[in-house]
């Protein structure tokens, strides 16, 4: 099984500021997919952003962007102009191109201060 | 609502009882996944279906656990002789097989508490 590590259990950010969540993973494969999922309190998990390993360009979705460092096996998420609605648990996930299941990290709880 | 639905949302049971959860995926999705999430942790894969065929089971899925997807639509997850260690959130997700790197859409989960 792939190992996904999120070393920050909790992060706090002031509204309108930027926060970066870290994620590292362990794999011997060259092609795979990486995801960031958001899980608000008592609500279902939704996809924030996705990155294909064969693409060198970092993915961006509105205020969310990633810094994908393939050689370092690092996949961080930057949330810009943080909003109160960004408060949630964020999970980094890995999926091999030869597999269907997701391997998740332990998650980072993001708190947004008004 | 066309999202993934799960029932019940909460289940409290006594140790040793059997419980069954249901998942209704997005209608055109042919892949269905079950995950288990314990407090403060990320989801862990349990099992996966393509249409009605169960293609993979995690070692986490002991012989007390059984999952079915009889007609390739909804799925059930049954836990027999529940133990306190089974207390967790059980998540269902679905996706469309045809797209590479496709997103898995998650349901709201069923929270199981075993007393």
């Amino acid at each position: 099984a792939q190992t996904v590590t999120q070393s920050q259990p909790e992060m706090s950010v002031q509204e309108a500021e930027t926060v970066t969540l870290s994620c590292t993973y362990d794999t011997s494969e060259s092609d795979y997919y990486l995801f960031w999922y958001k899980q608000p309190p008592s609500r279902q998990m939704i996809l924030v952003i996705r990155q294909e390993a064969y693409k060198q360009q970092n993915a961006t979705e509105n205020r969310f962007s990633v810094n994908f460092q393939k050689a370092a096996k690092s996949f961080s998420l930057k949330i810009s102009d943080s909003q109160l609605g960004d408060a949630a648990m964020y999970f980094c996930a890995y999926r091999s191109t030869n597999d269907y299941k997701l391997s998740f990290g332990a998650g980072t709880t993001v708190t947004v201060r008004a | 609502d066309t999202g993934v639905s799960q029932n019940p949302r909460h289940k409290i049971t006594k140790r040793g009882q059997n419980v069954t959860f249901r998942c209704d995926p997005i209608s055109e999705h042919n892949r269905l996944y079950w995950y288990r999430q314990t407090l403060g942790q990320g989801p862990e894969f349990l099992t996966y279906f393509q249409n009605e065929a169960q293609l993979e089971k995690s070692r986490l899925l002991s012989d007390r656990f059984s999952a079915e997807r009889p007609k390739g639509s909804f799925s059930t997850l049954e836990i027999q002789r529940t133990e306190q260690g089974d207390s967790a959130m059980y998540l269902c997700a679905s996706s469309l097989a045809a797209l590479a790197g496709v997103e898995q859409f998650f349901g709201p989960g069923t929270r199981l508490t075993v007393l």
Side-chain angles (χ1 to χ4, degrees):
Chain A
Q2 310 304 326
T3 302
V4 179
T5 302
Q6 293 180 249
S7 58
Q8 305 153 314
E10 297 178 1
M11 293 288 282
S12 180
V13 60
Q14 188 72 36
E15 197 175 6
E17 297 295 309
T18 296
V19 64
T20 300
L21 311 183
S22 64
C23 172
T24 58
Y25 56 93
D26 182 28
T27 185
S28 57
E29 298 176 331
S30 60
D31 202 11
Y32 45 86
Y33 300 96
L34 295 166
F35 305 85
W36 279 98
Y37 276 88
K38 171 185 177 182
Q39 188 177 42
S42 302
R43 294 180 61 186
Q44 58 208 83
M45 197 148 47
I46 58 172
L47 180 67
V48 173
I49 199 164
R50 166 180 43 219
Q51 175 81 41
E52 292 91 339
Y54 64 87
K55 290 186 177 179
Q56 294 193 355
Q57 187 173 5
N58 289 322
T60 298
E61 288 288 342
N62 300 315
R63 298 181 295 107
F64 298 88
S65 61
V66 299
N67 183 5
F68 173 48
Q69 300 290 328
K70 191 173 183 179
K73 298 179 183 175
S74 170
F75 183 58
S76 62
L77 174 71
K78 185 169 78 171
I79 307 174
S80 302
D81 185 25
S82 297
Q83 300 176 1
L84 295 177
D86 295 334
M89 191 116 170
Y90 287 80
F91 292 99
C92 177
Y94 170 101
R95 183 173 85 75
S96 166
T97 54
N98 301 316
D99 202 351
Y100 307 108
K101 61 183 176 286
L102 293 168
S103 296
F104 287 87
T108 298
T109 299
V110 172
T111 303
V112 181
R113 306 186 305 273
Chain B
D1 185 17
T2 58
V4 178
S5 61
Q6 292 186 247
N7 289 288
R9 294 292 305 276
H10 303 274
K11 179 70 177 179
I12 299 173
T13 191
K14 293 182 178 179
R15 188 177 55 184
Q17 297 295 306
N18 298 343
V19 294
T20 300
F21 311 141
R22 176 177 170 128
C23 170
D24 287 89
I26 293 171
S27 59
E28 64 268 26
H29 286 185
N30 52 358
R31 289 183 182 164
L32 186 146
Y33 314 80
W34 285 99
Y35 293 85
R36 182 172 69 187
Q37 184 178 18
T38 53
L39 198 61
Q41 297 298 315
E44 295 176 291
F45 171 79
L46 292 179
T47 190
Y48 148 70
F49 290 84
Q50 179 150 323
N51 300 313
E52 65 276 9
Q54 187 174 20
L55 297 186
E56 187 174 347
K57 293 193 292 186
S58 163
R59 58 179 172 76
L60 294 175
L61 212 66
S62 76
D63 56 5
R64 296 185 298 105
F65 287 70
S66 62
E68 295 183 342
R69 194 183 183 197
K71 297 183 179 180
S73 56
F74 72 91
S75 175
T76 58
L77 178 66
E78 181 183 17
I79 309 174
Q80 295 182 328
R81 305 181 303 282
T82 52
E83 301 172 356
Q84 288 183 327
D86 297 331
S87 295
M89 177 77 86
Y90 289 84
L91 297 171
C92 177
S94 69
S95 69
L96 196 57
L99 303 176
V102 68
E103 171 186 357
Q104 292 183 17
F105 291 82
F106 283 82
T110 294
R111 182 169 294 285
L112 172 66
T113 302
V114 181
L115 302 176

